């Protein structure tokens, strides 16, 4: 593993990420490279000498990159980007690159959501005295007893984000860190993304933000937002590409055994059918859809099953699930098709028929709409091998 300037004190791996993944393989395909090790301090002032921030491409000056730390932060949000930046220096053998420091409110160890303790390099106050090239803001969540995920926004962290933003050339949120940027007012009037499980929360809490839950990352001028967990690697590679060119970023991507850019629009490959029903009638409708996906269900069929008019059915779906009946039906079919592509050798024709698409053309069009990819591309990337 490449050496990093930040400090990590490994305590324990208490539990896995609390996020409900649409496809667990997405995360695990790229977590093999990520080993939990102790990294020793580099010594000296973490903000000193040639490691000062710079907005230039000078080969002798590193870009000061500050990653925020706070209790409950997601571990990979913190460690993923520095690993990408460290591999850049290993690949180029140049003194240029990124000088990464971890900043927290105090110098006390910070306990992450994984139960691993991380040692800060500097305090927020010390960081605020310097000119920062890139400020990276990770996130944290809580999960209730129904497995619903809620992004957290500590007011103290939000205030420091606001203050540090004024000292920063470029700001990037990792995963649900977008909620901290939003609370700090840095996403107002911008287009942004976050982990798919909290996208509805972000949109509801901040109506002035154009929330797009699909992309892996979004850049809006000097503000970047990234999607779920391992997408921090994609985001970091994009920052490397912006600063040092795509050829260099591609070399780093190869070391990570991942794409420099995900194909077909960089979708999160998740289907938004997770909202919890609030009425027994909606639960019954969703169960009916799941049990009859192979049938040629229509909005009229669903309205008849629920004993309501089509207009009333549409209103119910939009109120409870935030989408139309037709959109939910297509999402449910894509979700089942996605699982079959991962776990079976069924032909596209058989999958299309079993999921109610009936023709491969309809299946392909649905995948492009919902996942920005094709069934074949999806299977090639996520097919179970054992």
């Amino acid at each position: 593993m490449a050496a990093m300037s930040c400090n990590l004190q490994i305590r324990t791996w208490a539990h896995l990420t609390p996020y409900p993944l649409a496809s667990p393989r997405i995360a695990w395909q790229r977590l093999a490279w990520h080993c939990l090790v102790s990294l020793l301090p580099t010594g000296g002032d973490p903000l000193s000498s040639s490691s000062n921030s710079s907005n230039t491409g000078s080969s002798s000056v590193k870009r000061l990159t500050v990653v925020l730390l706070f209790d409950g932060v997601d571990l990979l949000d913190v460690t993923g980007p520095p690993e990408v930046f460290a591999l850049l220096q290993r690949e180029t053998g140049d003194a240029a690159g990124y000088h990464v420091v971890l900043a927290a409110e105090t110098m006390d160890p910070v306990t992450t959501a994984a139960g691993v303790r991380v040692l800060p390099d500097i305090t927020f106050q010390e960081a605020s005295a310097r000119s920062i090239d890139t400020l990276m803001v990770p996130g944290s969540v809580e999960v209730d007893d129904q497995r619903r995920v809620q992004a957290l926004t500590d007011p103290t962290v939000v205030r420091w984000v606001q203050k540090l933003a004024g000292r920063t050339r470029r700001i990037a949120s990792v995963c649900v860190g977008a909620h901290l940027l939003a609370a700090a007012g840095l996403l107002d009037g911008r287009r942004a993304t976050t982990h798919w499980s909290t996208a509805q929360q972000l949109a509801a809490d901040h109506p002035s933000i154009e929330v797009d839950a699909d992309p892996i990352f979004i850049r809006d001028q000097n503000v970047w937002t990234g999607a779920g967990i391992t997408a921090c690697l994609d985001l970091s590679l994009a920052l490397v590409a912006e600063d040092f060119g795509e050829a260099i970023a591609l070399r780093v991507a190869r070391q990570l055994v991942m794409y420099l850019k995900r194909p077909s629009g960089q979708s999160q490959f998740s289907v938004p059918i997770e909202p919890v029903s609030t009425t027994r009638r909606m639960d019954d409708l969703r169960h009916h859809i799941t049990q009859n996906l192979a049938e040629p269900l229509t909005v009229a069929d669903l309205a008849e099953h629920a004993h309501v008019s089509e207009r009333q059915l549409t209103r119910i779906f939009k109120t409870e699930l935030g989408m139309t009946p037709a959109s939910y039906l297509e999402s449910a079919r894509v979700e089942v098709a996605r699982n079959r592509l991962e776990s079976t050798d069924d032909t596209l024709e058989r999958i299309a028929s079993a999921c109610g698409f009936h023709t491969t053309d309809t299946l392909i069009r649905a995948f492009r709409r919902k996942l920005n990819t094709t069934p074949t591309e999806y299977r090639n990337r996520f097919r179970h091998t054992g």
Side-chain angles (χ1 to χ4, degrees), residues 16-300:
L16 298 179
T17 171
Y19 294 95
L21 295 174
S23 174
R25 289 184 57 78
I26 299 173
W28 291 112
Q29 280 180 331
R30 294 179 298 168
L31 278 175
W33 64 271
H34 181 68
C35 301
L36 296 180
V37 299
S38 295
L39 299 177
L40 298 177
T42 57
D45 180 358
L47 299 177
S48 66
S49 66
S50 64
S51 293
N52 288 343
S53 71
S54 172
N55 296 348
T56 70
S58 170
S59 61
S60 61
V61 181
K62 292 185 178 181
R63 299 164 185 261
L64 178 59
T65 301
V66 177
V67 182
L68 300 192
L69 280 180
F70 44 88
D71 282 334
V73 69
D74 286 314
L75 179 63
L76 189 55
D77 289 3
V78 173
T79 60
E83 183 67 19
V84 174
F85 300 149
L87 284 171
L88 166 71
Q89 185 169 343
R90 191 178 83 179
E91 279 300 299
T92 61
D94 197 342
Y98 303 91
H99 179 58
V100 180
V101 296
L102 307 182
E105 187 174 11
T106 71
M107 292 299 290
D108 295 333
V110 172
T111 302
T112 68
V116 176
R117 292 197 307 165
V118 181
L119 296 177
D121 295 300
I122 59 173
T123 65
F124 292 152
Q125 185 65 50
E126 290 171 322
S128 69
R130 302 305 298 254
S131 178
I132 301 169
D133 182 83
T134 304
L135 177 67
M136 303 207 72
V137 182
S140 64
V141 300
E142 62 180 5
V143 183
D144 65 20
D145 55 6
Q146 296 185 30
R147 303 300 300 162
R148 288 177 297 197
V149 178
Q150 184 84 4
L152 302 177
T153 52
D154 185 312
T156 299
V157 178
V158 171
R159 286 194 295 271
W160 278 111
V161 169
Q162 291 172 323
K163 186 170 184 177
L164 294 173
R167 308 283 303 172
T168 302
R169 176 182 73 92
R170 177 176 61 190
I171 304 169
S173 66
V174 183
C175 197
V176 297
H179 293 260
L180 289 168
L181 297 191
L186 300 176
L187 297 182
D188 291 348
R190 297 183 186 273
R191 180 168 170 260
T193 192
T194 185
H195 191 277
W196 61 267
S197 66
T198 68
Q200 288 190 350
Q201 177 193 348
L202 183 62
D205 291 347
H206 304 278
S208 65
I209 301 173
E210 182 186 347
V211 179
D212 188 344
D214 189 55
I216 292 301
F217 59 82
I218 289 175
R219 177 188 181 184
D220 192 320
Q221 298 180 340
N222 71 324
V223 178
W224 298 64
T225 50
I229 310 180
T230 57
C232 69
L233 306 182
D234 300 87
L235 172 63
S236 301
L237 282 171
L239 298 180
V240 171
E242 180 186 47
D243 295 338
F244 298 96
E246 291 208 359
I248 296 296
L250 178 59
R251 288 164 58 182
V252 176
R254 286 171 177 161
Q255 290 296 323
L256 292 169
V257 195
M258 60 182 289
Y259 289 96
L260 174 57
K261 292 182 179 178
R262 297 195 196 184
S264 305
Q266 305 174 112
S267 169
Q268 288 197 51
F269 292 113
S270 63
V271 181
I273 60 172
E274 293 299 322
V276 177
S277 304
T278 58
T279 65
R280 183 173 300 177
R281 175 159 53 188
M282 179 55 69
D283 279 337
D284 177 66
L285 275 168
R286 296 173 76 169
H287 179 74
H288 177 72
I289 290 171
T290 301
Q291 296 299 311
N292 295 278
L293 279 180
E295 303 301 323
L297 293 175
T298 65
V299 174

Side-chain angles (χ1 to χ4, degrees), residues 289-358:
I289 290 171
T290 301
Q291 296 299 311
N292 295 278
L293 279 180
E295 303 301 323
L297 293 175
T298 65
V299 174
D301 294 330
L302 297 178
E304 181 178 358
H305 178 80
H307 305 291
V308 297
S309 67
E310 293 183 36
R311 178 176 296 181
Q312 186 177 358
L313 181 77
T314 297
R315 185 163 56 248
I316 292 171
F317 266 82
K318 286 185 174 180
T319 299
E320 294 206 29
L321 303 183
M323 65 183 75
T324 65
S327 179
Y328 178 86
L329 182 59
E330 184 175 71
S331 293
R333 283 176 167 150
V334 167
E335 180 71 2
V336 174
R338 182 186 64 76
N339 290 332
R340 293 176 76 101
L341 288 166
E342 290 182 5
S343 59
T344 75
D345 293 319
D346 289 350
T347 63
L348 294 187
E349 290 81 3
R350 182 184 292 273
I351 292 174
S353 177
C355 298
F357 290 114
H358 302 299

